[in-house]
Amino acid sequence: MNRFASLIAVLLVLGGAALLAALNLAMPPASPLHVPTYAVSLAGKYLCYAMLALAVDLVWGFAGILSLGHAAFFALGGYAMGMHLMRQIGTRGVYGNAVLPDFMVFLNWHELPWYWHGFDNAAFAFLMVLVVPGLLALVFGWLAFRSRVSGVYLSIITQALTYALMLAFFRNDMGLGGNNGLTDFKEIFSSPLQADATRCALLIASAMFLAAQLLLARALVTSRFGKVLIAVRDAESRTRFLGYRPENYKLMVWVISALMAGIGGALYVPQVGIINPSEFSPANSIEAVIWVAVGGRGTLVGAVLGAVLVNLGKTYFTSALPELWLYALGALFILVTLLLPAGLMGLLHRRARRPLSAPAPEPAE
């Protein structure tokens, strides 16, 4: 059932993205079938959020690690992509400086910081999308798991990590845009970022990466590695007694999860047009946990479903009833926890196992 659901989800993600792109590019704006460009970008943003939710579900649902700081990896991947896009602006910025981004000129920076070098090259930037969040996850995970920090203490530490990064990135002397972040991007791969074709290409790329991550995650959790990971989640002491090293399994899945979140952040930035320190906010990590809980923890497909549905609701509430969104989100989490502890996917599985009709009573003898 889970494997079948994953294949269906992959087909829906790829097919839906291709359909939206086709209706945007092939249909004239006057046609009732035309999909506006803002809807294409919105769908792409939802798919990037789904990658973050999938990353959270991989560590929470299968390793028992409740991370309240995964937004940090998402944001770091986004900053790596944002730095590349800023270097592509060149002399088209407000100040016309071919080397320094506009915010550096405004703040009287005289030379490009060392950590900005190389980001004018796309291959280097994409490598940093993986290296930066992956390296942070490796160092943090090695220290935490080797010390056998777990449970609520680990959750608090992950939240402190992303909060510390948010405060650091707000500083102007970090050389990353401070409060305003990185924005005013012009192009990606020499294509205008605001062009319809570019927006559709980013949507397709997001769908492809999400589908690949979903298949990778499914392969991991159904492999021997995944079986041991679930054993660590359910009975870590017993698994250790059997000769396994739980900290190694936790560290590996933690780093893989961070890489997945970083890719989602990198694809998110060109579609929304900005990356700033607010993406590190602990509230974003908590929201990602809610997506997973709504869709169904430990189902993978449920994480994708929850991310898309909750953000659809967020889009509606923040435009129609903005003052009610946080109340609606809190109420949703409480209702799901009380009434649907297995999430929407758990409800679907129960309905799939339920007989269509009650068996006919046996005739009396």
Side-chain angles (χ1 to χ4, degrees), residues 214-231:
L214 187 56
L215 293 175
L216 172 63
R218 176 59 59 194
L220 281 175
V221 301
T222 55
S223 66
R224 181 176 178 273
F225 172 83
K227 302 300 182 184
V228 176
L229 200 62
I230 294 172

Side-chain angles (χ1 to χ4, degrees), residues 22-36:
L23 293 178
N24 173 263
L25 296 175
M27 293 294 172
S31 172
L33 296 178
H34 176 74
V35 174

Side-chain angles (χ1 to χ4, degrees), residues 53-347:
L54 189 62
V56 172
D57 193 28
L58 192 59
V59 294
W60 185 32
F62 295 92
I65 304 170
L66 177 55
S67 172
L68 298 181
H70 250 56
F73 306 127
F74 185 84
L76 287 172
Y79 264 96
M81 175 59 75
M83 292 168 73
H84 170 65
L85 297 177
M86 289 295 290
R87 293 301 311 275
Q88 300 304 300
I89 295 175
T91 57
R92 291 170 293 179
V94 174
Y95 297 99
N97 193 304
V99 177
L100 297 180
D102 283 339
F103 72 88
M104 290 188 183
V105 178
F106 178 77
L107 294 173
N108 294 319
W109 288 64
H110 299 295
E111 60 181 3
L112 197 68
W114 64 268
Y115 47 86
W116 274 80
H117 290 286
F119 278 95
D120 54 331
N121 182 275
F124 177 84
F126 297 154
L127 180 63
M128 290 300 104
V129 166
L130 299 175
V131 169
V132 176
L135 185 59
L136 175 64
L138 180 64
V139 173
F140 176 87
W142 189 86
L143 293 173
F145 301 138
R146 294 281 170 173
S147 303
R148 300 191 183 182
V149 180
S150 60
V152 65
Y153 300 104
L154 182 61
S155 299
I156 292 172
I157 292 174
T158 58
Q159 192 172 50
L161 171 69
T162 189
Y163 187 68
L165 286 170
M166 181 183 71
L167 295 180
F169 274 68
F170 266 121
R171 296 169 57 92
N172 285 328
D173 55 7
M174 281 284 290
L176 293 169
N179 182 64
N180 296 322
L182 308 178
T183 188
D184 195 30
F185 310 130
K186 305 297 184 183
E187 64 181 34
I188 182 170
F189 293 129
S190 302
S191 300
L193 203 53
Q194 301 303 323
D196 291 352
T198 306
R199 293 289 178 173
C200 290
L202 288 169
L203 172 63
I204 297 296
S206 300
M208 293 176 65
F209 273 99
L210 176 58
Q213 289 187 10
L214 187 56
L215 293 175
L216 172 63
R218 176 59 59 194
L220 281 175
V221 301
T222 55
S223 66
R224 181 176 178 273
F225 172 83
K227 302 300 182 184
V228 176
L229 200 62
I230 294 172
V232 170
R233 178 197 68 188
D234 295 338
E236 182 172 342
S237 298
R238 185 176 299 178
T239 307
R240 189 185 301 276
F241 178 76
L242 292 174
Y244 294 98
R245 298 289 298 274
E247 59 272 15
N248 293 342
Y249 286 88
K250 286 183 176 182
L251 180 59
M252 183 174 294
V253 76
W254 179 258
V255 173
I256 292 173
S257 175
L259 296 177
M260 292 167 60
I263 292 172
L267 288 166
Y268 170 85
V269 168
Q271 296 184 85
V272 300
I274 187 173
I275 178 71
N276 60 41
S278 65
E279 296 297 338
F280 286 99
S281 171
N284 291 348
S285 297
I286 296 172
E287 202 169 312
V289 171
I290 295 176
W291 304 339
V292 176
V294 169
R297 173 191 172 195
T299 62
L300 298 180
V301 174
V304 175
L305 179 64
V308 172
L309 291 181
V310 173
N311 280 288
L312 276 171
K314 182 177 183 178
T315 299
Y316 169 76
F317 271 98
T318 52
S319 59
L321 302 166
E323 67 280 0
L324 296 181
W325 163 241
L326 291 179
Y327 297 103
L329 184 63
L332 176 65
F333 186 60
I334 293 172
L335 290 174
V336 167
T337 302
L338 295 177
L339 303 178
L340 292 174
L344 295 175
M345 290 301 295
L347 178 63

